């Protein structure tokens, strides 16, 4: 179960990073390229992914 949680969190983190890079125009080929709102959506999504990693790997 921990593996699944980690994989899902990493996927969310990767999507957030991709959307952020598209938002600032570093990754092209999408309607999101150069649209600043995708930078913010990506940042929030990446933070959710990071929170998921922390949740999946508690430090006792």
């Amino acid at each position: 179960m921990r593996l699944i949680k980690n994989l899902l969190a990493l996927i969310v983190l990767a999507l957030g990073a991709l959307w952020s890079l598209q938002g600032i125009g570093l990754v092209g080929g999408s309607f999101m390229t150069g649209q600043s709102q995708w930078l913010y959506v990506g940042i929030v999504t990446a933070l959710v992914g990071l929170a998921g990693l922390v949740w999946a790997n508690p430090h006792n």
Side-chain angles (χ1 to χ4, degrees), residues 38-49:
W38 287 104
L39 170 63
Y40 305 118
V41 170
I43 290 170
V44 170
T45 304
L47 290 173
V48 169

Side-chain angles (χ1 to χ4, degrees), residues 6-41:
N6 279 312
L7 286 174
L8 287 174
L10 286 172
I11 290 169
V12 172
L13 179 62
L15 281 174
L18 175 63
W19 292 344
S20 294
L21 292 174
Q22 286 179 321
I24 59 176
L26 289 178
V27 176
S30 171
F31 68 93
M32 295 184 267
T33 302
Q35 302 293 319
S36 63
Q37 72 263 21
W38 287 104
L39 170 63
Y40 305 118
V41 170

